């Protein structure tokens, strides 16, 4: 089983407009609301693939209840740990004319030490084959919270940024998955391979870097590989990184080698761009593209 953890859960609200224009009033053509947060999205993708998964997340208030109801209706196995604060909203505006995507992410409610302990206890009750720790830490969470969860001995994929990423390295996660911008922010190094090597030296077993339309780079103990999609896709990219994490976690569970695992992650990332909402994947695209992703070893 793959267990995902989302400390900073969200109720995702997606608006579709004809065109996003500053200082103008917009008529919204379509509104969709669903449970979100990076780990929830990962579990949603895994569930769509038929994988054994469960999402654990913090949730509270009216938005938290809405998220819980939507998850139950979707069939994604989940355990929502209650908090006193109101679950945050994340708002995405999709512009139909130019297919641009604009996000507004709230910081999330402040949680207590007891609420964090309840989350950690919920995680400890399970014996997963792979653990996924995703997203930002909410205000009030211990700075080393991810490191504590990752130190369980279960192969862990850590997908976060900033101080949470740096502190999480102490837990020695099997994989960390920043994008190129996040990698520069935490290392100050602009060369991707060199920066990834810094994170490996600080505790990460491997580093998988999202490069947007150029694919992904994996820097590992057994080598460095670059995977590129067969074609550049346009659509909603907000869940692409989460779909890639689902692919990484599934590859670890299956014991795949790095070229196969990285190809899966890139194919799922592209399938998410074609999905209407974060957490959705175009399964025919994924199955068609999985073996078409070009994966090449980099010489050290």
């Amino acid at each position: 089983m793959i267990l995902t953890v989302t400390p900073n859960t969200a109720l995702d609200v997606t608006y579709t407009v004809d065109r996003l224009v500053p200082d103008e009033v917009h008529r919204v053509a379509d509104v969709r609301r669903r449970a979100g947060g990076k780990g929830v999205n990962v579990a949603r993708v895994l569930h769509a693939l038929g994988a054994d998964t469960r999402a654990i997340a913090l949730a509270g208030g009216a938005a938290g209840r809405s998220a819980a109801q939507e998850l139950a209706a979707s069939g994604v196995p989940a355990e929502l740990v209650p908090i006193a604060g109101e679950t945050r909203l994340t708002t995405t505006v999709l512009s139909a004319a130019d297919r641009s995507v604009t996000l507004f992410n709230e910081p999330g409610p402040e949680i207590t030490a007891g609420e964090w302990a309840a989350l950690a206890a919920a995680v400890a009750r399970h014996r997963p084959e792979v653990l996924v720790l995703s997203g930002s830490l909410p205000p009030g969470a211990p700075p080393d919270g991810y490191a504590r969860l990752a130190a369980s001995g279960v192969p862990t994929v850590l997908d976060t940024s900033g101080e949470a990423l740096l502190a999480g390295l102490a837990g020695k996660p099997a994989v960390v998955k920043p994008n190129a911008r996040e990698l520069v922010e935490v290392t100050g190094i602009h060369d991707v391979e060199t920066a990834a090597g810094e994170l490996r030296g600080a505790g990460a077993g491997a580093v998988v870097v999202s490069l947007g339309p150029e694919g992904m780079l994996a820097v590992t103990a057994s080598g460095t590989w670059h995977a590129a999609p067969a074609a550049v896709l346009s659509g909603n990219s907000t869940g692409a990184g989460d779909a890639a994490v689902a692919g990484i976690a599934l590859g670890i569970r299956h014991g795949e080698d790095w070229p196969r695992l990285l190809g899966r992650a890139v194919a799922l990332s592209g399938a998410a761009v074609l999905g209407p909402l974060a957490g959705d994947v175009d399964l025919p695209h994924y199955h068609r593209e999985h073996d078409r992703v070009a994966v090449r070893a980099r010489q050290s």
Side-chain angles (χ1 to χ4, degrees):
M1 187 259 285
I2 299 173
L3 187 68
T4 76
V5 182
T6 310
N8 209 3
T9 316
L11 181 64
D12 288 346
V13 181
T14 302
Y15 295 139
T16 300
V17 299
D18 290 337
R19 181 186 296 274
L20 183 61
V21 182
D23 298 323
E24 291 290 340
V25 175
H26 296 77
R27 293 188 180 277
V28 178
D30 182 61
V31 182
R32 302 193 188 187
R33 294 176 175 86
R34 73 190 317 182
K38 294 178 72 62
V40 171
N41 293 339
V42 173
R44 200 182 292 273
V45 172
L46 290 168
H47 180 68
L49 293 171
D52 184 11
T53 188
R54 176 170 290 273
I56 292 181
L58 294 174
R65 289 191 294 274
S66 294
Q69 291 166 0
E70 189 280 325
L71 273 175
S74 73
V76 177
E79 179 179 348
L80 298 187
V81 178
I83 59 174
E86 180 80 20
T87 290
R88 68 191 175 121
L89 299 181
T90 60
T91 303
T92 301
V93 181
L94 304 179
S95 175
D98 56 8
R99 302 186 70 82
S100 65
V101 182
T102 304
L103 277 72
F104 300 88
N105 290 338
E106 295 181 3
E110 183 154 355
I111 65 169
T112 67
E115 289 166 344
W116 179 266
L119 176 72
V123 174
R125 285 195 290 270
H126 297 275
R127 295 290 183 269
E129 297 160 277
V130 183
L131 178 65
V132 175
L133 307 175
S134 289
S136 59
L137 290 173
D144 63 345
Y146 277 147
R148 298 183 200 177
L149 296 176
S152 63
V154 176
T156 299
V157 183
L158 176 62
D159 182 18
T160 188
S161 59
E163 292 301 319
L165 170 56
L166 291 176
L169 296 173
K172 300 194 180 304
V175 180
V176 297
K177 197 216 70 64
N179 60 37
R181 175 183 53 78
E182 291 164 346
L183 188 60
V184 172
E185 287 177 352
V186 297
T187 65
I189 300 170
H190 288 268
D191 179 77
V192 173
E193 289 188 45
T194 303
E198 288 289 311
L199 295 191
R200 288 200 64 244
V207 181
V208 177
V209 187
S210 295
L211 304 174
E214 297 177 14
M216 294 183 181
L217 184 76
V219 180
T220 80
S222 55
T224 299
W225 287 270
H226 176 255
V232 176
L233 304 172
S234 62
N236 182 1
S237 62
T238 54
D242 302 328
V245 169
I248 293 167
L250 202 56
I252 292 173
R253 184 187 177 202
H254 291 334
E256 293 177 341
D257 61 19
W258 273 103
R260 180 72 175 171
L261 183 155
L262 199 61
R264 180 194 298 277
V266 169
L268 273 174
S269 181
V273 171
L274 297 179
L277 301 173
D280 290 335
V281 287
D282 184 320
L283 290 177
H285 174 87
Y286 162 64
H287 292 301
R288 184 173 61 249
E289 295 298 310
H290 189 188
D291 292 321
R292 297 180 58 190
V293 175
V295 184
R296 295 183 175 83
R298 289 279 189 95
Q299 299 299 318
S300 58

